[in-house]
Amino acid sequence: MLRKYWIVGIIVILSLLLAGCGGSEEPTGVVQVTVPKPTDTFAPRPTFTPLPTATPAEAVEAEPTAEPTAQPDPTDTLVSTETIPPQPTEPADTPTPAPPTLTPLPPPPPQKGIRMDSPEYGIQAFLWWRPEIAERDLLLIKDMEFTWVKQTFAWRDIELEKGQFDWSHTDHIVYTANQYGGLDLLIRVDDAPEWAAAGCKNPGAGVIQGPPNNLQDFANFLQALVGRYEGRIRAYEIWNEPNLRREWCGRSPSPNEYAQMLDVAYSTIKSVDPNAIVISAGLTPTGTGPPEALPDDVYTRQLYQAMGGSSNGYFDVLGAHAPGYKAPPEVSPAEGARNPEYGGQRFFVFRRVEDLRAIMEEFGDGDKQVAITEFGWTSDPIHEAYAWHRVTEEQKADYLVRAYQWAEQNWSPWIGVMSAIYIADPDWTEQAEQYWWSITNPDGTPRPAYNSLKQMPK
């Protein structure tokens, strides 16, 4: 028992001693350990991957969180600018946008008189359906130092319905020619639309085109055409080869009807553009009579009779066609009639024009000029109707140059523009008879005649 009390006493004494050594601070080097209760668990401490420090170039839009993010106080100058939206600044004066730049139309060419130099140099081209080819061919003509371009403006391709016009092709042709400068336009106007000349467009029956049923429709068209291009087109040729049935709606050619057309066309054109030259239609040199045709000299005489013996109020310049056929350009009509090799007729020579000129003088019209709106020679070996009078490409080149020289030396001052044929249509092939009259190939490469005409003194 005594031993038991002794042990208890020792324990009490030790407890008192430990209590007496305590203070306000724990002794250095002593670590307090808390013994966990049996119910405590040792959950691992969560770890956090630190966010990278963002730079302005690397800043990205934060992913949305479940809790809305407190917006920074805009007055807190210590908040990083990376988290503050850009502050609005004073709006700058916004300049009024400049209007789009429009390409101005080239100025109209200088006004020229009705009287032409003797001769003036022209050529027919086909500028309608291919704008890029049109520019190429106009430059070819300009490079020849020719000053006239003949182009057909088919009425049916412009006034598609009565009063509804498509000017897209004509605008490009006229304005491009004006832009290049030094190029006068001779526009052949023909080919009435179906609504104005019903039934005339019938190639299967050999009918190609014809006059309108109502000449007022033609006047209205000319008023619109000339009004649009006043001062930009120098000359208008009224119709084409009306001495052929196929050009007169399948009817026998009628100089009386054509005189009425000229009367309407002349007064309309002059009322809009007094400086424009009105040229009568070039006639086909032919000896065939009605109803298929009317010889060009007979037609010219009857036309003067239908005009009352004077062309005043009908045309300024007489139009003529002058293909050379087989004969060189110096061969006279009388010699052509005597020589079977040349066709044995007066009209089978380039100088047939002299017969028409004599009729003009007979009716007191000697003061007016003649325009040759088509002339040339063919090298056609394919088509029977033309092959008999074919020449070589070298002969064609020589004859064309000599034709201009003959006119200058013998027909001045009454000869005006002389328009050769053709700068080739880009779509022609050897199967087209026109291909063989041309002085260029459809791809624009020159034939001998082009080079000779380019080098010819003018």
Side-chain angles (χ1 to χ4, degrees), residues 223-288:
Q223 188 171 38
L225 175 68
V226 180
R228 188 174 185 87
Y229 303 118
E230 179 183 359
R232 297 181 180 276
I233 293 176
R234 188 176 179 195
Y236 296 87
E237 180 184 8
I238 307 304
W239 228 252
N240 178 62
E241 298 180 338
N243 64 320
L244 297 181
R245 177 180 181 177
R246 71 166 185 260
E247 302 282 345
W248 208 246
C249 203
R251 304 194 305 270
S252 182
S254 172
N256 287 330
E257 291 180 4
Y258 180 63
Q260 295 173 31
M261 174 184 281
L262 276 177
D263 183 15
V264 168
Y266 187 92
S267 60
T268 302
I269 291 171
K270 292 295 186 176
S271 69
V272 180
D273 189 351
N275 293 313
I277 302 172
V278 178
I279 304 175
S280 66
L283 305 176
T284 293
T286 180
T288 304

Side-chain angles (χ1 to χ4, degrees), residues 113-118 120 148 234 277 317 369 371 413 415-417:
I114 302 299
R115 194 79 180 175
M116 293 173 276
D117 291 339
S118 188
E120 294 192 8
W148 283 87
R234 188 176 179 195
I277 302 172
V317 176
Q369 291 181 300
I415 191 65
V417 60

Side-chain angles (χ1 to χ4, degrees), residues 124-144:
Q124 183 166 345
F126 299 87
L127 312 173
W128 194 270
W129 301 113
R130 303 276 196 89
E132 73 285 1
I133 299 300
E135 298 189 36
R136 180 199 74 185
D137 288 352
L138 285 171
L139 289 173
L140 283 172
I141 295 168
K142 194 169 178 65
D143 196 42
M144 292 170 66

Side-chain angles (χ1 to χ4, degrees), residues 393-454:
E393 290 293 335
E394 290 72 23
Q395 285 177 311
K396 182 197 301 184
D398 182 41
Y399 288 177
L400 283 167
V401 171
R402 286 160 58 182
Y404 279 111
Q405 291 172 342
W406 174 270
E408 182 177 9
Q409 295 166 8
N410 298 277
W411 293 350
S412 181
W414 58 261
I415 191 65
V417 60
M418 297 172 59
S419 181
I421 52 176
Y422 304 102
I423 297 292
D425 186 308
D427 294 320
W428 284 347
T429 68
E430 294 182 358
Q431 300 308 310
E433 58 93 4
Q434 300 99 319
Y435 172 95
W436 301 100
W437 295 86
S438 303
I439 68 168
T440 63
N441 294 309
D443 64 0
T445 55
R447 296 183 189 174
Y450 176 89
N451 292 326
S452 293
L453 291 172
K454 179 179 176 180

Side-chain angles (χ1 to χ4, degrees), residues 196-214:
C200 286
K201 195 73 171 180
N202 186 1
V207 179
I208 304 301
Q209 62 172 324
N213 298 326
N214 184 349

Side-chain angles (χ1 to χ4, degrees), residues 347-367:
F347 57 82
F348 278 134
V349 297
F350 167 73
R351 287 175 57 190
R352 168 63 161 184
V353 176
E354 295 172 4
D355 288 345
L356 307 184
R357 176 65 184 175
I359 296 172
M360 292 180 70
E361 293 176 340
E362 178 185 333
F363 283 91
D365 231 0
D367 289 339

